[in-house]
């Protein structure tokens, strides 16, 4: 990185599916890096595969990142940038680093099998490099079009990886990678490098499944005389049973997790803290998360993502969420009652939308459940006169009221609280009655205790 250069990272998904929890990891690692270093975060859509990429998925990626709290500083799509890639190809051909090959997939496959049968590594043998001009012309006359391979330097490529320390890969053991197919379309390798150079990417943070690509890409950076960025390859998320996460696991898509009521910060906390040196816990803001974790503090083993752990984290996050942080979300759900209501119910919800359920219970008519009217009627009889204001329902008032009911009915503990709860809320479980009662209000509480819908 040059002096005074803004640290610049990118997240580069292909819009060929919905983002899932596994993609959230690189997205967040890059976003947290951007926050920590006051840098820039670029969203780059790798949509050179025109058949599988769709606008619908592109739109969904932006929406899902926004939901998660990631707001890119700039946005590019590779499909707008083919002229840059074509120029790169020309340069590599002129410099003798890209050479045309005419083998069909079948021919390559047969060759690989023969190599393996002889105990040789199944790498490309560079046969096409030896073709003479007239042999190439003859193949083209047959109607064959070339695909293009990058001539790797057979050397060891080494880099200091921010997540893994020194990594070295012997490129002599790799096939010359195909950069462009016979139909002129691009594979991922070259456009990515050209964009990283053109957009001034200083740090490439991505999953460890890209480590071999990195060795190849470093050679492409050098061939194009671009500044080689610093790399960090994080460990990948797997399912709880250790399988890799794929786009087909729809229930782990960010959309689905959002619809299931998961909080973005619960998802973000788990997606980055699991498989790290930090304890998995709910962190309430991205800024704080950026201080807690970075790519240097990840483990090398796969990180297991467990949905049950996410649900538990989500619940914990909501239980601890201060009113100020919940306020806007509650307003969106049309939940009233202010801080008093939030503090009364937050300990009993597992999803934000549960707050609406409780808001409706305290503020809209419900049918009380009366199994035996002894306790509810005594409670109605002893209920402090209304209208109530906030101050009057102190713990002391609550105690005086319940003692009076006990004195009249002789019922205590569960025998006292179950009928009160059923009458006042219509439910067997929920937040402390003492906290709900002032929110329900005198008139409604009295009616419900008397068995009337209110
Ligand atoms: N489109 C690539 C992927 O999703 C980008 C990898 C990279 O960050 O370079 O795997």
């Amino acid at each position: 990185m040059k002096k005074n250069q803004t640290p610049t990272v990118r997240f580069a998904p292909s819009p060929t599916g919905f983002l899932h929890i596994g993609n959230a990891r690189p997205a967040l690692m890059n976003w947290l890096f951007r926050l920590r270093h006051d840098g820039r975060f670029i969203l780059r859509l790798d949509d050179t595969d025109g058949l599988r990429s769709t606008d619908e998925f592109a739109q969904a990626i932006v929406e899902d990142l926004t939901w998660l709290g990631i707001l890119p500083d700039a946005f590019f799509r590779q499909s707008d940038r083919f002229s840059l890639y074509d120029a790169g190809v020309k340069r590599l051909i002129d410099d003798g680093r890209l050479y045309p090959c005419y083998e069909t997939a079948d021919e390559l496959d047969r060759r690989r099998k023969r190599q393996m049968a002889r105990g040789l590594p199944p790498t490309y043998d560079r046969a096409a490099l030896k073709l003479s001009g007239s042999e190439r012309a003859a193949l083209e006359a047959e109607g064959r079009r070339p695909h293009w391979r990058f001539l790797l330097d057979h050397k060891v490529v080494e880099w200091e990886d921010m997540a893994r320390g020194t990594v070295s890969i012997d490129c002599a053991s790799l096939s010359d990678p195909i950069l462009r197919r016979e139909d002129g379309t691009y594979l991922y390798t070259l456009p990515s490098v050209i964009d990283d150079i053109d957009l001034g990417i200083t740090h490439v943070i991505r999953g460890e499944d890209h480590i071999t690509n990195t060795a190849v890409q470093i050679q492409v950076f050098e061939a194009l005389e671009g500044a080689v960025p610093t790399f960090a390859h994080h460990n990948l998320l797997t399912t709880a049973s250790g399988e890799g996460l794929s786009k087909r696991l729809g229930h782990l898509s960010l959309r689905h997790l959002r619809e299931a009521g998961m909080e973005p910060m619960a998802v973000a906390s788990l997606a980055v803290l699991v498989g790290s040196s930090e304890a998995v816990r709910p962190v309430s803001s991205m800024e704080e998360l950026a201080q807690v974790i970075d790519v240097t503090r990840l483990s090398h083993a796969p990180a297991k993502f467990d949905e049950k752990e996410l649900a538990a984290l989500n619940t914990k996050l909501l239980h601890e969420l201060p009113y100020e942080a919940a306020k806007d979300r509650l307003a969106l759900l049309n939940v009233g009652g202010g801080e008093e209501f939030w503090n009364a119910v937050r300990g009993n919800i597992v999803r934000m939308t549960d707050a609406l359920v409780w808001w409706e219970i305290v503020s809209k008519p419900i049918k009380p459940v009366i199994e035996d009217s002894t306790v509810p009627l005594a409670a109605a009889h002893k209920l402090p006169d209304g209208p109530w204001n906030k101050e009057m329902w102190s713990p002391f008032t609550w105690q005086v009221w319940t003692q009076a009911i006990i004195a009249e009915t002789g019922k205590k503990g569960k025998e006292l609280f179950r009928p009160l709860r059923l009458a006042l809320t219509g439910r067997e479980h929920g937040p402390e009655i003492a906290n709900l009662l002032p929110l329900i209000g005198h008139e409604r509480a009295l009616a419900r205790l008397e068995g009337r819908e209110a």
Side-chain angles (χ1 to χ4, degrees):
M1 194 169 109
K2 288 190 217 114
K3 239 180 149 186
N4 299 327
Q5 198 177 359
T6 310
T8 305
V9 292
R10 85 294 194 279
F11 173 55
S14 296
T16 53
F18 292 117
L19 292 183
H20 57 68
I21 185 81
N23 311 118
R25 194 164 172 89
L28 286 158
M29 287 297 175
N30 279 291
W31 180 245
L32 297 177
F33 182 91
R34 180 243 184 249
L35 292 179
R36 204 182 166 99
H37 298 279
D38 200 13
R40 269 164 56 77
F41 175 106
I42 292 174
L43 172 61
R44 183 186 90 200
L45 291 183
D46 284 3
D47 59 351
T48 54
D49 181 345
L51 287 178
R52 294 195 311 132
S53 303
T54 70
D55 277 346
E56 185 208 348
F57 288 133
Q59 180 68 31
I61 286 172
V62 174
E63 271 171 31
D64 291 345
L65 290 179
T66 308
W67 171 74
L68 210 48
I70 295 177
L71 304 168
D73 299 292
F75 171 74
F76 294 91
R77 14 176 24 133
Q78 291 194 320
S79 56
D80 291 335
R81 300 165 60 81
F82 285 119
S83 57
L84 269 177
Y85 313 146
D86 294 347
V89 161
K90 184 172 179 316
R91 173 163 179 188
L92 292 175
I93 294 175
D94 290 349
D95 291 350
R97 292 303 295 271
L98 206 56
Y99 62 97
C101 302
Y102 295 87
E103 295 90 347
T104 63
D106 264 357
E107 285 164 358
L108 289 172
D109 197 41
R110 265 181 273 131
R111 207 177 286 178
R112 265 195 300 271
K113 283 185 181 138
R114 274 201 307 273
Q115 286 170 307
M116 285 189 337
R118 286 162 54 205
L120 298 171
T123 48
Y124 181 61
D125 60 6
R126 294 184 163 172
L129 255 189
K130 294 168 204 112
L131 293 173
S132 65
S134 57
E135 283 169 322
R136 279 205 294 270
L139 286 163
E140 301 232 355
E142 266 177 37
R144 297 205 192 202
R145 291 283 159 269
H147 54 271
W148 296 83
R149 286 190 191 259
F150 179 72
L151 185 65
L152 281 174
D153 205 347
H154 280 171
K155 65 177 184 182
V156 174
V157 170
E158 201 168 271
W159 71 93
E160 277 313 306
D161 194 285
M162 276 163 54
R164 311 178 68 84
T166 309
V167 179
S168 49
I169 306 257
D170 185 359
C171 290
S173 64
L174 305 178
S175 293
D176 287 341
I178 300 173
L179 300 191
R180 193 149 89 156
R181 300 187 185 91
E182 37 280 321
D183 62 1
T185 57
Y186 287 97
L187 284 104
Y188 148 80
T189 312
L190 179 67
S192 182
V193 170
I194 291 180
D195 286 337
D196 288 343
I197 296 171
D198 185 62
L199 303 173
I201 301 301
T202 59
H203 296 77
V204 170
I205 303 172
R206 58 188 177 189
E208 64 189 13
D209 49 336
H210 284 288
I211 286 182
T212 310
N213 285 340
T214 297
V216 169
Q217 287 184 326
I218 287 177
Q219 288 208 20
V220 180
F221 275 104
E222 288 168 351
L224 293 171
E225 293 179 297
V228 180
T230 303
F231 287 92
H233 292 89
H234 60 74
N235 54 352
L236 300 177
L237 288 188
T238 68
T239 61
S241 53
E243 293 157 65
L245 291 170
S246 84
K247 288 183 186 170
R248 282 173 288 282
L249 287 167
H251 67 293
L252 294 181
S253 69
L254 295 184
R255 304 228 115 201
H256 179 87
L257 295 174
R258 175 174 72 185
E259 278 153 20
M262 295 302 117
E263 291 294 301
M265 280 313 297
V267 173
S269 302
L270 188 60
V272 300
L273 293 179
V274 70
S276 79
S277 58
E278 285 295 317
V280 174
R281 57 185 185 274
V283 178
S284 61
S285 75
M286 282 290 184
E287 287 70 22
E288 205 185 319
L289 197 54
Q291 296 313 314
V292 169
I293 187 78
D294 69 20
V295 279
T296 63
R297 274 180 281 171
L298 299 176
S299 100
H300 291 188
K304 290 197 174 167
F305 173 80
D306 183 345
E307 277 169 276
K308 285 194 216 89
E309 195 173 3
L310 177 62
L313 210 61
N314 196 59
T315 304
K316 194 154 186 264
L317 185 106
L318 287 170
H319 292 186
E320 292 168 1
L321 198 65
Y323 177 64
E324 273 312 307
K327 200 166 141 187
D328 295 347
R329 307 274 310 285
L330 293 170
L332 278 177
L333 289 169
N334 282 324
V335 170
E339 187 163 4
E340 194 192 354
F341 171 76
W342 176 245
N343 288 341
V345 302
R346 66 177 180 174
N348 287 79
I349 64 176
V350 296
R351 282 174 226 93
M352 201 59 162
T353 46
D354 296 342
L356 180 60
V357 175
W358 285 105
W359 176 240
E360 296 197 331
I361 289 174
V362 302
S363 67
K364 297 211 170 117
I366 61 152
K367 263 201 181 73
V369 175
I370 310 282
E371 291 171 340
D372 173 338
S373 62
T374 316
V375 168
L377 284 182
H381 182 58
K382 301 288 178 194
L383 198 65
D385 289 337
W388 301 330
N389 60 25
K390 268 189 200 158
E391 290 69 46
M392 67 142 300
W393 267 105
S394 67
F396 179 68
T397 328
W398 167 256
Q399 213 177 359
V400 170
W401 182 55
T402 48
Q403 287 305 326
I405 309 169
I406 295 169
E408 190 160 317
T409 62
K411 311 272 190 204
K412 291 192 273 208
K414 198 170 171 237
E415 293 202 311
L416 171 70
F417 294 114
R418 181 182 157 86
L420 281 182
R421 181 177 288 288
L422 283 172
L424 288 166
T425 68
R427 302 201 160 209
E428 283 183 46
H429 304 284
E432 296 276 347
I433 294 289
N435 297 331
L436 291 180
L437 202 53
L439 292 154
I440 294 171
H442 176 261
E443 203 180 319
R444 209 165 238 143
L446 185 65
R448 289 179 185 178
L449 291 168
E450 287 174 349
R452 285 179 284 126
E453 184 170 338

